[in-house]
Amino acid sequence: ITHVSYGILDFFEEVVGTFPELDLFFASGSTSTSSGLSAEVEYQRTVGALFAVYWLLRLGADGKQGFCFGIDEAWRTRACPGDAERSSDKKKRCKFYEDMEWSYVD
C-alpha cells in the first residue's frame, strides 16, 4: 500500500474485489437504509472511510494531500490550491494541511 506505484484506484479496485458485500448497498430495491440515508450515500461514506485508512498509511507519500484534498476525476491526489482558487472550504482544508501535527498519526 505504501509503494509509490500503488495508487488510490488500485486500492479501490482491491477493496471492491475483496469485499463483495459492498454490492449489498445496491442489491435491494430500497433507496434508504436504517440510518435514513440513501444506500448510495452509505456506500460513499464506507468507501471514504476506507480511503482515509489508505491515506493515513501513506502519510510519507501522498497521504497528507489525499486526506485533506481528495482526488480528482482521474484518480490523482489533489494539492492545496493557490490563493486565488481558495473558497472558504478550501481555505479550511489548506489550513488543516499546513497546521496539522502529522507526527501524531505518523
Side-chain angles (χ1 to χ4, degrees):
I1 206 165
T2 60
H3 194 276
V4 123
S5 68
Y6 185 81
I8 190 78
L9 179 57
D10 301 311
F11 178 75
F12 175 73
E13 289 172 346
E14 282 197 41
V15 162
V16 170
T18 303
F19 300 106
E21 50 274 294
L22 289 171
D23 290 339
L24 295 175
F25 282 108
F26 306 105
S28 72
S30 176
T31 57
S32 66
T33 61
S34 60
S35 69
L37 300 172
S38 72
E40 181 179 353
V41 168
E42 287 291 353
Y43 175 83
Q44 290 176 358
R45 289 174 54 161
T46 301
V47 171
L50 292 167
F51 281 8
V53 171
Y54 167 86
W55 286 317
L56 289 172
L57 291 170
R58 293 176 56 94
L59 289 178
D62 59 349
K64 296 172 191 172
Q65 294 88 350
F67 190 82
C68 295
F69 309 114
I71 55 174
D72 64 16
E73 296 79 16
W75 296 84
R76 292 181 304 239
T77 305
R78 293 183 175 142
C80 184
D83 288 339
E85 300 175 54
R86 291 188 188 181
S87 64
S88 174
D89 179 60
K90 289 178 183 174
K91 285 179 185 175
K92 290 178 189 176
R93 291 171 183 255
C94 290
K95 179 149 180 58
F96 177 82
Y97 174 77
E98 293 161 359
D99 295 348
M100 170 60 183
E101 291 289 340
W102 293 105
S103 62
Y104 291 163
V105 292
D106 193 11

